Amino acid sequence: MKEPGDTITTPRLLLRLIDSEAAEAILAGDIQTAGQMMGVAINEDLLDYHNSFKYGQKQLEDDPLYSPWSARAIILPDEKVMIGLIRFHNRPDPEYIYDYGKNAAEFGYSIFVNYRQRGYATEAVKAMMEWAVQAYGICRFLASVSPDNTASLRLITKLGFNKVDEIMDDVDGMEHVFLRVIPNS
């Protein structure tokens, strides 16, 4: 599953790590340069994720070991186009999720509007969890979802996540917290 260049491959997708230089170009609003660096076309929808990239760059400054957990472009390889993002919010076991158990990692994802409802998010989430289990032995996964996001609620329920909490996020408002424990890990 893991390839050179920090890319995770699925049957239809590449989940390619976005390096700091490409992230800086994205933060500067220069998606053309970022796309050239990554070898893909990037939709302007990516500019809606400015805060996510800013957070990710801060994480990397504070903790260089966060790198393999940081933002990945979800790419359709045949078209060489980026269709979304997926990332872990931190390295595993940050203190803020201890209430949900040890050996846990929280992730987030988004598929750009024109590519939704095709199963890409499901495929990407499964691959990221499998990568974390195989590469790092992570067995607990968290996802926080707005109660209004019916597509994500449906996806994580389908993947075996169970609601364990409700929190008020300073940025995103009310979120439901879901947990999945991978058995025998």
Side-chain angles (χ1 to χ4, degrees):
M1 174 175 275
K2 190 165 166 47
E3 295 183 343
D6 293 316
T7 299
I8 297 169
T9 302
T10 75
R12 300 182 298 163
L13 305 170
L14 299 176
L15 309 179
R16 182 173 300 149
L17 205 55
I18 300 172
D19 68 26
S20 288
E21 288 180 16
E24 288 296 335
I26 292 164
L27 282 168
D30 189 354
I31 58 174
Q32 184 176 3
T33 297
Q36 289 169 346
M37 292 173 163
M38 295 170 48
V40 296
I42 299 178
N43 186 301
E44 287 197 13
D45 288 352
L46 184 62
L47 296 175
D48 293 339
Y49 298 90
H50 185 271
N51 286 340
S52 178
F53 279 97
K54 192 172 178 181
Y55 174 85
Q57 289 298 88
K58 175 76 170 118
Q59 288 285 91
L60 286 168
E61 287 172 19
D62 294 345
D63 180 7
L65 297 177
Y66 172 64
S67 182
W69 303 92
S70 64
R72 291 176 183 268
I74 302 173
I75 298 169
L76 291 175
D78 292 341
E79 292 88 349
K80 294 187 180 172
V81 63
M82 180 177 177
I83 63 166
L85 287 170
I86 191 164
R87 72 177 175 94
F88 287 96
H89 296 301
N90 301 80
R91 282 193 301 139
D93 267 349
E95 191 171 321
Y96 79 95
I97 60 176
Y98 283 175
D99 288 346
Y100 309 111
K102 297 287 279 169
N103 200 25
E106 181 181 17
F107 65 89
Y109 55 89
S110 185
I111 301 295
F112 301 151
V113 173
N114 291 339
Y115 297 95
R116 292 183 180 160
Q117 301 300 316
R118 300 180 196 181
Y120 295 136
T122 301
E123 192 170 326
V125 168
K126 284 180 177 179
M128 286 295 285
M129 288 190 305
E130 185 177 310
W131 169 82
V133 169
Q134 290 179 357
Y136 294 94
I138 302 307
C139 62
R140 302 172 81 78
F141 297 94
L142 290 165
S144 299
V145 181
S146 164
D148 299 329
N149 188 340
T150 55
S152 279
L153 292 170
R154 195 171 42 248
L155 180 149
I156 61 169
T157 300
K158 177 175 70 173
L159 291 178
F161 284 78
N162 295 300
K163 183 179 172 189
V164 293
D165 204 354
E166 292 181 5
I167 59 170
M168 183 58 73
D169 184 85
D170 293 340
V171 175
D172 298 323
M174 176 57 72
E175 291 187 325
H176 293 180
V177 179
F178 293 85
L179 173 68
R180 178 170 178 209
V181 178
I182 306 291
N184 301 320
S185 295

